[in-house]
Amino acid sequence: MKDRTRTTEGIKTVPGTELERSSASTAVEKRPGRLLVEYFGDLGPVTRHLDMVPVRTMVTAMGTISKVGILGDDVNPRAIVCLTGSDGESAQCTVDTEHYLDLFDYLVEGTFVVLRGTVRRPLSTMPALIDVMVIRSADEICAQAGRVVSA
């Protein structure tokens, strides 16, 4: 029978590597399309992850704009925005040419916003997207309601 308790002479251990491996294996990987959104379902208001919401449903989401990509030309500008929630989950949001000029002021990285749009899945293997129709500063909305919120 083989002695499995014996240490091998040629293997050196580096302090801290065991801790790093164990913490990396327990860390939860954040995926796009998992942002929490709200919408009106058959029985009233519902809060779910974006990837669980049916296509063409109007949703409301809150978070920080973490990335902005401007596409198209001067005549037909479009944008792709990554909205990240307080838990680190995110969603890709698209702004079409029709809404771009109205929403341009809010498409700034680091801005805490509330947006409203419809859910779309370009491919069944891709995470769901939000086609944005309205974006407002969350601080502006809370100030109108008489409260102050900081991101």
Side-chain angles (χ1 to χ4, degrees):
M1 181 175 239
K2 215 175 195 183
D3 181 16
R4 297 183 190 265
T5 59
R6 195 178 101 185
T7 59
T8 308
E9 309 296 327
I11 297 178
K12 294 181 182 178
T13 58
V14 178
T17 54
E18 291 304 316
L19 178 62
E20 289 171 10
R21 278 192 213 130
S22 65
S23 65
S25 64
T26 59
V28 177
E29 182 179 328
K30 304 293 183 184
R31 299 176 306 208
R34 298 280 300 161
L35 181 69
L36 284 174
V37 297
E38 295 177 350
Y39 65 97
F40 284 102
D42 294 337
L43 301 174
V46 179
T47 301
R48 291 223 169 107
H49 290 287
L50 180 61
D51 62 355
M52 299 175 70
V53 178
V55 174
R56 291 188 295 279
T57 302
M58 181 71 73
V59 297
T60 302
M62 182 184 294
T64 303
I65 295 178
S66 54
K67 292 182 185 175
V68 177
I70 307 298
L71 306 171
D73 53 17
D74 291 340
V75 177
N76 297 313
R78 299 181 312 276
I80 296 178
V81 177
C82 181
L83 185 69
T84 304
S86 60
D87 60 354
E89 302 290 3
S90 65
Q92 295 294 322
C93 306
T94 60
V95 179
D96 61 7
T97 302
E98 180 182 343
H99 296 98
Y100 180 83
L101 294 176
D102 296 333
L103 306 177
F104 178 74
D105 292 338
Y106 297 103
L107 302 178
V108 178
E109 290 182 15
T111 305
F112 189 54
V113 298
V114 175
L115 61 81
R116 189 151 174 78
T118 55
V119 177
R120 177 172 56 99
R121 285 186 181 81
L123 298 171
S124 61
T125 57
M126 289 178 60
L129 305 172
I130 300 174
D131 290 328
V132 178
M133 295 177 190
V134 177
I135 297 178
R136 294 293 175 253
S137 169
D139 295 332
E140 178 183 307
I141 292 171
C142 292
Q144 289 174 354
R147 293 181 251 155
V148 177
V149 173
S150 60

